Coordinates of all heavy atoms in Angstrom, one line a residue:
M1 N 124.8 99.6 105.0 CA 125.0 98.5 105.9 C 126.0 97.5 105.4 O 125.9 97.1 104.2 CB 123.7 97.9 106.2 CG 123.7 96.7 107.1 SD 122.1 96.2 107.8 CE 121.9 97.6 108.9
K2 N 126.9 97.0 106.2 CA 127.9 96.1 105.8 C 127.3 94.7 105.7 O 126.4 94.3 106.4 CB 129.0 96.0 106.8 CG 129.8 97.3 106.8 CD 131.0 97.2 107.8 CE 131.8 98.5 107.8 NZ 132.9 98.4 108.6
I3 N 127.8 93.9 104.8 CA 127.3 92.6 104.5 C 127.5 91.7 105.7 O 126.7 90.8 105.9 CB 127.9 92.0 103.2 CG1 127.1 90.8 102.7 CG2 129.3 91.7 103.4 CD1 125.8 91.0 102.2
T4 N 128.6 91.9 106.5 CA 128.8 91.0 107.6 C 127.7 91.2 108.7 O 127.4 90.2 109.3 CB 130.2 91.3 108.2 OG1 130.3 92.7 108.5 CG2 131.3 91.0 107.3
E5 N 127.2 92.4 108.8 CA 126.1 92.6 109.8 C 124.9 91.8 109.3 O 124.1 91.3 110.1 CB 125.8 94.1 109.9 CG 126.9 94.9 110.5 CD 126.6 96.4 110.5 OE1 125.4 96.8 110.3 OE2 127.6 97.2 110.5
I6 N 124.6 91.8 108.0 CA 123.4 91.1 107.5 C 123.6 89.6 107.7 O 122.6 88.9 108.0 CB 123.2 91.5 106.0 CG1 122.9 93.0 105.9 CG2 122.1 90.7 105.4 CD1 122.9 93.5 104.5
I7 N 124.8 89.1 107.5 CA 125.0 87.7 107.6 C 124.9 87.2 109.0 O 124.3 86.1 109.3 CB 126.4 87.3 107.1 CG1 126.5 87.5 105.6 CG2 126.8 85.9 107.5 CD1 127.8 87.3 104.9
E8 N 125.3 88.1 110.0 CA 125.2 87.7 111.4 C 123.7 87.7 111.9 O 123.4 87.1 112.9 CB 126.1 88.6 112.2 CG 127.5 88.4 112.0 CD 128.4 89.5 112.6 OE1 127.8 90.4 113.3 OE2 129.6 89.4 112.5
N9 N 122.9 88.5 111.3 CA 121.5 88.6 111.8 C 120.7 87.4 111.3 O 121.1 86.6 110.5 CB 120.8 89.9 111.3 CG 121.4 91.1 112.0 OD1 121.8 91.0 113.2 ND2 121.5 92.2 111.3
N10 N 119.5 87.3 111.9 CA 118.6 86.2 111.5 C 118.1 86.3 110.1 O 118.0 87.4 109.5 CB 117.3 86.2 112.4 CG 117.7 85.7 113.8 OD1 118.6 84.9 114.0 ND2 116.9 86.2 114.8
F11 N 117.9 85.1 109.5 CA 117.6 85.1 108.0 C 116.2 85.7 107.8 O 116.0 86.2 106.7 CB 117.6 83.6 107.5 CG 116.5 82.8 108.1 CD1 115.3 82.7 107.4 CD2 116.7 82.1 109.3 CE1 114.3 81.9 107.9 CE2 115.7 81.3 109.8 CZ 114.5 81.2 109.1
F12 N 115.3 85.7 108.7 CA 114.0 86.2 108.5 C 113.9 87.7 108.3 O 113.0 88.2 107.6 CB 113.0 85.7 109.5 CG 113.2 86.3 110.9 CD1 112.7 87.5 111.2 CD2 113.9 85.6 111.8 CE1 113.0 88.1 112.5 CE2 114.1 86.1 113.1 CZ 113.6 87.3 113.4
L13 N 114.9 88.4 108.8 CA 115.0 89.8 108.5 C 115.2 90.1 107.0 O 114.6 91.0 106.4 CB 116.1 90.5 109.3 CG 116.0 90.5 110.8 CD1 117.2 91.0 111.5 CD2 114.8 91.4 111.2
L14 N 116.1 89.3 106.4 CA 116.3 89.4 105.0 C 115.1 89.0 104.2 O 114.7 89.7 103.2 CB 117.5 88.6 104.6 CG 118.0 88.7 103.1 CD1 118.3 90.1 102.8 CD2 119.2 87.8 102.9
R15 N 114.4 88.0 104.6 CA 113.2 87.5 103.9 C 112.1 88.6 104.0 O 111.4 89.0 103.0 CB 112.6 86.3 104.6 CG 111.4 85.7 103.9 CD 110.7 84.7 104.7 NE 110.3 85.3 106.0 CZ 110.1 84.7 107.1 NH1 110.3 83.4 107.2 NH2 109.7 85.3 108.2
D16 N 111.9 89.2 105.2 CA 110.9 90.3 105.3 C 111.3 91.5 104.5 O 110.4 92.2 104.0 CB 110.7 90.6 106.8 CG 110.1 89.5 107.6 OD1 109.5 88.6 106.9 OD2 110.1 89.5 108.8
T17 N 112.6 91.8 104.4 CA 113.0 92.9 103.6 C 112.7 92.7 102.1 O 112.3 93.6 101.4 CB 114.6 93.1 103.7 OG1 114.9 93.4 105.1 CG2 115.0 94.3 102.9
I18 N 112.9 91.5 101.7 CA 112.5 91.1 100.3 C 111.0 91.4 100.1 O 110.6 92.0 99.1 CB 112.8 89.6 100.0 CG1 114.3 89.4 100.0 CG2 112.2 89.2 98.6 CD1 114.8 88.0 99.9
Y19 N 110.2 91.0 101.0 CA 108.7 91.2 100.9 C 108.4 92.7 100.9 O 107.5 93.1 100.2 CB 108.0 90.4 101.9 CG 108.0 88.9 101.8 CD1 108.1 88.1 102.9 CD2 108.1 88.3 100.6 CE1 108.1 86.7 102.8 CE2 108.1 86.9 100.5 CZ 108.1 86.1 101.6 OH 108.2 84.8 101.5
D20 N 109.1 93.4 101.8 CA 108.8 94.9 101.9 C 109.1 95.6 100.6 O 108.5 96.6 100.3 CB 109.6 95.5 103.1 CG 109.0 95.1 104.4 OD1 107.8 94.7 104.5 OD2 109.7 95.4 105.4
L21 N 110.2 95.1 99.9 CA 110.6 95.8 98.7 C 109.6 95.4 97.5 O 109.8 95.9 96.4 CB 112.0 95.4 98.3 CG 113.1 95.9 99.3 CD1 114.4 95.3 99.0 CD2 113.1 97.4 99.2
G22 N 108.7 94.5 97.8 CA 107.8 94.1 96.7 C 108.3 93.1 95.7 O 107.8 93.0 94.6
I23 N 109.3 92.4 96.1 CA 110.0 91.4 95.3 C 109.6 90.0 95.8 O 109.5 89.8 97.0 CB 111.5 91.6 95.3 CG1 111.8 93.0 94.7 CG2 112.2 90.5 94.4 CD1 113.3 93.3 94.8
R24 N 109.3 89.1 94.8 CA 109.0 87.8 95.2 C 110.2 86.9 95.3 O 111.2 87.1 94.6 CB 108.0 87.2 94.2 CG 106.7 87.9 94.1 CD 105.8 87.4 93.1 NE 106.5 87.4 91.8 CZ 106.1 86.8 90.7 NH1 105.0 86.2 90.7 NH2 106.8 86.9 89.6
L25 N 110.1 85.9 96.2 CA 111.3 85.0 96.4 C 111.5 84.2 95.1 O 112.7 83.9 94.8 CB 111.0 84.0 97.5 CG 111.2 84.5 98.9 CD1 110.8 83.4 99.9 CD2 112.7 84.9 99.1
T26 N 110.5 83.9 94.3 CA 110.7 83.2 93.1 C 111.5 84.0 92.1 O 112.4 83.5 91.4 CB 109.4 82.8 92.4 OG1 108.6 84.0 92.2 CG2 108.7 81.8 93.3
E27 N 111.3 85.3 92.1 CA 112.1 86.2 91.2 C 113.6 86.2 91.6 O 114.5 86.1 90.7 CB 111.5 87.6 91.3 CG 112.3 88.7 90.4 CD 111.8 90.1 90.6 OE1 110.7 90.3 91.1 OE2 112.6 91.0 90.3
V28 N 113.8 86.3 92.9 CA 115.2 86.3 93.4 C 115.8 84.9 93.1 O 117.0 84.9 92.6 CB 115.2 86.6 94.9 CG1 116.6 86.5 95.4 CG2 114.6 88.0 95.2
S29 N 115.1 83.9 93.3 CA 115.6 82.5 93.1 C 116.0 82.3 91.7 O 117.0 81.7 91.4 CB 114.6 81.5 93.6 OG 115.1 80.2 93.5
V30 N 115.1 82.7 90.8 CA 115.4 82.5 89.3 C 116.6 83.2 88.9 O 117.4 82.7 88.0 CB 114.1 82.9 88.5 CG1 114.4 83.0 87.0 CG2 113.0 81.9 88.7
N31 N 116.8 84.4 89.4 CA 117.9 85.2 89.0 C 119.3 84.8 89.6 O 120.3 85.0 89.1 CB 117.7 86.7 89.2 CG 116.7 87.3 88.2 OD1 116.9 87.3 87.1 ND2 115.5 87.6 88.7
I32 N 119.2 84.3 90.8 CA 120.4 83.9 91.5 C 120.8 82.4 91.2 O 122.0 82.1 90.9 CB 120.2 84.0 93.1 CG1 120.1 85.5 93.4 CG2 121.4 83.4 93.8 CD1 119.8 85.7 94.9
Y33 N 119.8 81.6 91.2 CA 120.0 80.2 90.9 C 119.2 79.7 89.7 O 118.2 79.0 89.8 CB 119.7 79.3 92.1 CG 120.4 79.6 93.3 CD1 119.8 80.2 94.4 CD2 121.8 79.2 93.4 CE1 120.6 80.5 95.5 CE2 122.5 79.5 94.6 CZ 121.9 80.2 95.6 OH 122.6 80.5 96.7
P34 N 119.6 80.1 88.5 CA 118.7 79.9 87.3 C 118.6 78.4 86.9 O 117.6 78.0 86.3 CB 119.5 80.6 86.1 CG 120.9 80.8 86.6 CD 120.8 80.8 88.1
N35 N 119.5 77.5 87.4 CA 119.4 76.1 87.0 C 118.6 75.3 88.0 O 118.4 74.1 87.8 CB 120.8 75.5 86.9 CG 121.6 76.1 85.8 OD1 121.1 76.5 84.8 ND2 122.9 76.2 86.0
N36 N 118.2 75.9 89.1 CA 117.4 75.2 90.1 C 115.9 75.5 89.9 O 115.5 76.4 89.1 CB 117.8 75.6 91.5 CG 119.2 75.1 91.9 OD1 119.6 74.1 91.3 ND2 119.9 75.8 92.7
H37 N 115.1 74.9 90.7 CA 113.7 75.1 90.7 C 113.4 76.6 91.1 O 114.1 77.1 91.9 CB 113.0 74.1 91.6 CG 111.5 74.1 91.4 ND1 110.7 74.9 92.1 CD2 110.7 73.4 90.6 CE1 109.4 74.7 91.8 NE2 109.4 73.7 90.9
K38 N 112.3 77.1 90.5 CA 112.0 78.5 90.8 C 111.6 78.8 92.3 O 111.7 79.9 92.8 CB 110.9 79.0 89.9 CG 109.5 78.4 90.2 CD 108.5 79.0 89.3 CE 107.1 78.4 89.6 NZ 106.1 79.0 88.7
N39 N 111.3 77.7 93.0 CA 111.0 77.9 94.5 C 112.2 77.4 95.4 O 112.0 77.1 96.5 CB 109.7 77.1 94.8 CG 108.5 77.8 94.3 OD1 108.4 79.0 94.2 ND2 107.5 76.9 93.9
F40 N 113.3 77.4 94.8 CA 114.5 76.9 95.5 C 114.8 77.7 96.8 O 114.9 77.1 97.9 CB 115.7 77.0 94.6 CG 117.0 76.5 95.2 CD1 117.2 75.1 95.5 CD2 118.0 77.4 95.5 CE1 118.4 74.7 96.0 CE2 119.2 76.9 96.1 CZ 119.4 75.6 96.3
L41 N 114.8 79.0 96.7 CA 115.0 79.9 97.9 C 113.9 79.8 98.9 O 114.1 79.8 100.1 CB 115.2 81.3 97.5 CG 116.6 81.7 97.1 CD1 116.7 83.2 96.8 CD2 117.6 81.4 98.2
S42 N 112.7 79.7 98.4 CA 111.5 79.5 99.3 C 111.7 78.3 100.2 O 111.4 78.3 101.4 CB 110.2 79.5 98.5 OG 109.1 79.3 99.3
G43 N 112.1 77.2 99.6 CA 112.3 76.0 100.3 C 113.5 76.1 101.3 O 113.4 75.7 102.5
K44 N 114.5 76.8 100.9 CA 115.6 77.0 101.9 C 115.2 77.9 103.0 O 115.6 77.6 104.2 CB 116.8 77.7 101.1 CG 117.5 76.7 100.2 CD 118.8 77.3 99.6 CE 119.9 76.9 100.5 NZ 121.2 77.1 99.9
F45 N 114.4 78.9 102.8 CA 113.9 79.8 103.9 C 113.0 79.0 104.8 O 113.1 79.1 106.0 CB 113.2 81.0 103.3 CG 114.1 82.2 103.1 CD1 114.3 82.6 101.8 CD2 114.7 82.9 104.1 CE1 115.1 83.7 101.5 CE2 115.5 84.0 103.8 CZ 115.7 84.4 102.5
S46 N 112.1 78.2 104.3 CA 111.2 77.5 105.1 C 111.8 76.4 105.9 O 111.4 76.0 107.0 CB 110.0 76.9 104.2 OG 110.5 75.9 103.4
E47 N 112.9 75.8 105.4 CA 113.7 74.8 106.1 C 114.8 75.3 106.9 O 115.6 74.5 107.5 CB 114.1 73.7 105.1 CG 113.0 73.0 104.4 CD 113.5 72.1 103.3 OE1 114.7 72.0 103.1 OE2 112.6 71.5 102.7
H48 N 115.0 76.6 107.0 CA 116.1 77.3 107.8 C 117.4 76.8 107.3 O 118.3 76.6 108.1 CB 115.9 77.0 109.3 CG 114.6 77.4 109.8 ND1 114.3 78.7 110.1 CD2 113.5 76.7 110.0 CE1 113.0 78.7 110.6 NE2 112.5 77.5 110.5
R49 N 117.6 76.7 106.0 CA 118.9 76.3 105.4 C 119.6 77.4 104.6 O 120.4 77.1 103.8 CB 118.7 75.1 104.4 CG 118.2 73.8 105.1 CD 118.1 72.7 104.1 NE 117.1 73.0 103.0 CZ 117.5 73.0 101.7 NH1 118.7 72.8 101.3 NH2 116.5 73.3 100.8
I50 N 119.3 78.6 105.0 CA 120.0 79.8 104.3 C 121.4 79.9 104.8 O 121.7 80.0 106.0 CB 119.2 81.1 104.6 CG1 117.8 81.0 104.0 CG2 120.0 82.3 104.1 CD1 117.8 81.0 102.5
T51 N 122.3 79.8 103.9 CA 123.8 79.9 104.2 C 124.2 81.4 104.0 O 123.6 82.2 103.4 CB 124.6 79.0 103.3 OG1 124.4 79.5 101.9 CG2 124.1 77.6 103.3
P52 N 125.4 81.7 104.6 CA 126.0 83.0 104.4 C 126.1 83.3 102.9 O 125.9 84.5 102.5 CB 127.3 83.0 105.1 CG 127.1 82.0 106.2 CD 126.2 80.9 105.6
R53 N 126.5 82.3 102.1 CA 126.7 82.6 100.6 C 125.3 83.0 100.0 O 125.3 83.9 99.2 CB 127.2 81.3 100.0 CG 127.4 81.4 98.5 CD 127.9 80.1 97.9 NE 128.1 80.3 96.5 CZ 127.2 80.0 95.6 NH1 126.0 79.6 95.9 NH2 127.4 80.2 94.3
D54 N 124.3 82.3 100.4 CA 122.9 82.7 99.9 C 122.6 84.1 100.3 O 122.1 84.9 99.4 CB 121.9 81.8 100.5 CG 122.0 80.3 100.1 OD1 122.4 80.1 98.9 OD2 121.6 79.4 100.9
K55 N 122.9 84.5 101.5 CA 122.6 85.9 101.9 C 123.4 86.9 101.1 O 122.8 87.9 100.7 CB 122.9 86.0 103.4 CG 122.0 85.3 104.3 CD 122.4 85.5 105.8 CE 121.4 84.8 106.7 NZ 121.8 85.1 108.1
V56 N 124.6 86.6 100.9 CA 125.4 87.5 100.1 C 124.9 87.7 98.7 O 124.7 88.8 98.1 CB 126.9 87.1 100.0 CG1 127.7 87.9 99.0 CG2 127.6 87.2 101.4
L57 N 124.5 86.5 98.0 CA 123.9 86.6 96.7 C 122.6 87.3 96.7 O 122.3 88.1 95.7 CB 123.8 85.2 96.2 CG 125.0 84.4 95.9 CD1 124.7 82.9 95.5 CD2 125.8 85.1 94.7
I58 N 121.8 87.1 97.7 CA 120.5 87.8 97.7 C 120.7 89.3 97.9 O 120.0 90.1 97.2 CB 119.6 87.2 98.9 CG1 119.2 85.8 98.6 CG2 118.4 88.1 99.2 CD1 118.6 85.0 99.8
V59 N 121.6 89.7 98.8 CA 121.8 91.1 99.0 C 122.3 91.8 97.8 O 121.9 92.9 97.4 CB 122.7 91.3 100.3 CG1 123.2 92.7 100.3 CG2 122.0 90.9 101.5
E60 N 123.3 91.2 97.1 CA 123.8 91.7 95.9 C 122.8 91.9 94.8 O 122.8 92.9 94.1 CB 125.0 90.9 95.4 CG 126.2 91.0 96.3 CD 126.8 92.4 96.6 OE1 126.8 93.1 95.6 OE2 127.1 92.7 97.7
Y61 N 121.9 90.9 94.7 CA 120.9 91.0 93.7 C 119.9 92.1 94.0 O 119.5 92.9 93.2 CB 120.1 89.7 93.6 CG 118.9 89.8 92.7 CD1 119.0 89.8 91.3 CD2 117.6 89.8 93.2 CE1 118.0 89.9 90.5 CE2 116.5 90.0 92.4 CZ 116.7 90.0 91.0 OH 115.6 90.2 90.2
L62 N 119.5 92.2 95.3 CA 118.5 93.2 95.7 C 119.1 94.6 95.5 O 118.4 95.5 95.1 CB 118.1 93.0 97.2 CG 117.3 91.8 97.5 CD1 117.0 91.7 98.9 CD2 116.0 91.9 96.7
K63 N 120.4 94.8 95.9 CA 121.0 96.1 95.7 C 121.1 96.5 94.2 O 121.0 97.6 93.9 CB 122.5 96.1 96.3 CG 122.5 96.1 97.8 CD 123.9 96.2 98.3 CE 123.9 96.3 99.8 NZ 125.3 96.3 100.4
S64 N 121.3 95.5 93.3 CA 121.4 95.8 91.9 C 120.0 96.1 91.4 O 119.9 96.9 90.4 CB 121.9 94.6 91.1 OG 121.0 93.5 91.1
Q65 N 118.9 95.6 92.0 CA 117.6 95.9 91.5 C 117.0 97.2 92.0 O 116.4 97.9 91.3 CB 116.6 94.7 91.9 CG 117.0 93.4 91.2 CD 116.8 93.6 89.7 OE1 115.8 94.0 89.2 NE2 117.9 93.2 89.0
V66 N 117.1 97.5 93.3 CA 116.5 98.6 93.9 C 117.5 99.7 94.3 O 117.0 100.8 94.7 CB 115.6 98.2 95.1 CG1 114.5 97.3 94.7 CG2 116.4 97.6 96.2
G67 N 118.7 99.4 94.4 CA 119.7 100.4 94.8 C 120.1 100.2 96.3 O 119.3 99.6 97.1
E68 N 121.3 100.5 96.6 CA 121.9 100.3 97.9 C 121.2 101.1 99.0 O 120.9 100.5 100.1 CB 123.4 100.6 97.9 CG 124.0 100.1 99.2 CD 125.5 100.2 99.1 OE1 126.1 100.4 98.0 OE2 126.2 100.0 100.2
A69 N 120.8 102.3 98.7 CA 120.2 103.2 99.7 C 118.8 102.6 100.1 O 118.4 102.6 101.2 CB 120.1 104.6 99.2
V70 N 118.0 102.2 99.1 CA 116.7 101.7 99.3 C 116.8 100.4 100.1 O 116.0 100.2 101.0 CB 115.9 101.5 98.0 CG1 114.6 100.9 98.2 CG2 115.8 102.9 97.3
F71 N 117.7 99.5 99.7 CA 117.8 98.3 100.4 C 118.2 98.5 101.9 O 117.6 97.9 102.8 CB 118.9 97.4 99.8 CG 119.2 96.2 100.6 CD1 118.4 95.1 100.6 CD2 120.3 96.1 101.4 CE1 118.6 94.0 101.4 CE2 120.6 95.0 102.2 CZ 119.8 93.9 102.2
N72 N 119.2 99.4 102.1 CA 119.6 99.7 103.5 C 118.5 100.3 104.3 O 118.4 99.9 105.5 CB 120.8 100.6 103.5 CG 122.1 100.0 103.0 OD1 122.2 98.8 103.0 ND2 123.1 100.8 102.6
Q73 N 117.7 101.1 103.7 CA 116.6 101.7 104.5 C 115.6 100.7 104.9 O 115.1 100.6 106.0 CB 115.9 102.8 103.6 CG 114.8 103.5 104.3 CD 114.1 104.5 103.4 OE1 114.3 104.5 102.2 NE2 113.3 105.3 104.0
S74 N 115.2 99.8 103.9 CA 114.3 98.7 104.2 C 114.8 97.7 105.2 O 114.1 97.3 106.1 CB 113.9 98.0 102.9 OG 112.9 97.1 103.1
Y75 N 116.1 97.4 105.1 CA 116.6 96.4 106.0 C 116.7 97.0 107.4 O 116.5 96.3 108.4 CB 118.0 95.9 105.5 CG 118.5 94.7 106.3 CD1 118.1 93.5 106.0 CD2 119.4 94.9 107.4 CE1 118.5 92.4 106.7 CE2 119.9 93.8 108.1 CZ 119.4 92.6 107.8 OH 119.9 91.5 108.5
T76 N 117.1 98.2 107.5 CA 117.2 98.9 108.8 C 115.8 99.0 109.5 O 115.7 98.8 110.7 CB 117.8 100.3 108.6 OG1 119.1 100.2 108.0 CG2 118.0 101.0 110.0
K77 N 114.8 99.2 108.7 CA 113.5 99.3 109.2 C 113.1 97.9 109.8 O 112.5 97.8 110.9 CB 112.5 99.7 108.1 CG 111.0 99.8 108.6 CD 110.1 100.2 107.5 CE 109.8 99.0 106.7 NZ 108.8 99.2 105.7
E78 N 113.4 96.8 109.1 CA 113.1 95.5 109.6 C 113.9 95.2 110.9 O 113.4 94.6 111.8 CB 113.4 94.4 108.6 CG 112.4 94.4 107.5 CD 111.0 94.1 108.0 OE1 110.8 93.3 108.9 OE2 110.1 94.7 107.4
L79 N 115.2 95.6 110.9 CA 116.0 95.4 112.0 C 115.5 96.1 113.3 O 115.5 95.6 114.4 CB 117.5 95.9 111.7 CG 118.6 95.6 112.7 CD1 118.7 94.0 112.9 CD2 119.9 96.1 112.2
E80 N 115.1 97.4 113.1 CA 114.5 98.1 114.2 C 113.2 97.5 114.7 O 112.9 97.5 115.9 CB 114.3 99.6 113.8 CG 115.5 100.4 113.6 CD 115.3 101.8 113.0 OE1 114.1 102.1 112.7 OE2 116.3 102.5 112.9
R81 N 112.4 97.0 113.8 CA 111.1 96.3 114.2 C 111.4 95.1 115.0 O 110.7 94.7 115.9 CB 110.4 96.0 112.9 CG 109.0 95.5 113.2 CD 108.2 95.1 111.9 NE 108.2 96.2 111.0 CZ 107.7 96.1 109.7 NH1 107.3 94.9 109.3 NH2 107.7 97.1 108.9
Y82 N 112.5 94.4 114.6 CA 112.9 93.2 115.4 C 113.4 93.4 116.8 O 113.1 92.7 117.7 CB 114.0 92.4 114.6 CG 114.5 91.2 115.2 CD1 113.8 90.1 115.5 CD2 115.9 91.2 115.6 CE1 114.3 89.0 116.1 CE2 116.4 90.1 116.2 CZ 115.6 89.0 116.5 OH 116.2 87.9 117.1
K83 N 114.1 94.5 116.9 CA 114.7 94.9 118.2 C 113.7 95.6 119.0 O 113.2 95.5 120.0 CB 115.9 95.7 118.1 CG 117.1 95.0 117.5 CD 118.3 95.8 117.4 CE 119.4 95.0 116.8 NZ 120.7 95.6 116.8

């Protein structure tokens, strides 16, 4: 799946994909933004302040952890559930 498609979709699809993969937001936050608080991304998700840059960083981190195929499968499942 192309990153532009992920950026254009709602942020909660990405959040639900993270949860489906069994990864915690704090783990993602610490690895992407090590100088910020460990709940930095959790706050951004709850306040609807996720930027396209955040989405790109999250997707790249998830792909490096679980693999591109696994990420695409999980994200596609969430996208189908949403539609």
Side-chain angles (χ1 to χ4, degrees):
M1 176 164 288
K2 293 184 179 181
I3 194 73
T4 54
E5 295 174 20
I6 295 170
I7 291 173
E8 292 172 357
N9 289 326
N10 287 330
F11 69 92
F12 66 84
L13 291 171
L14 185 57
R15 183 196 61 205
D16 292 345
T17 301
I18 293 169
Y19 293 145
D20 284 346
L21 292 171
I23 300 173
R24 297 178 302 170
L25 280 176
T26 56
E27 178 185 342
V28 177
S29 184
V30 166
N31 286 296
I32 293 175
Y33 300 108
N35 296 330
N36 291 333
H37 191 271
K38 67 179 183 178
N39 290 326
F40 181 70
L41 276 181
S42 180
K44 288 187 93 166
F45 272 111
S46 66
E47 296 171 0
H48 306 277
R49 294 184 298 122
I50 295 294
T51 63
R53 180 180 181 270
D54 294 328
K55 289 181 181 181
V56 169
L57 292 173
I58 292 168
V59 168
E60 292 301 320
Y61 173 75
L62 292 175
K63 285 181 179 180
S64 72
Q65 293 299 307
V66 298
E68 188 170 351
V70 174
F71 172 79
N72 287 342
Q73 180 183 15
S74 183
Y75 191 82
T76 303
K77 181 178 81 171
E78 286 300 322
L79 188 59
E80 289 173 357
R81 189 181 304 171
Y82 174 66
K83 290 183 179 184

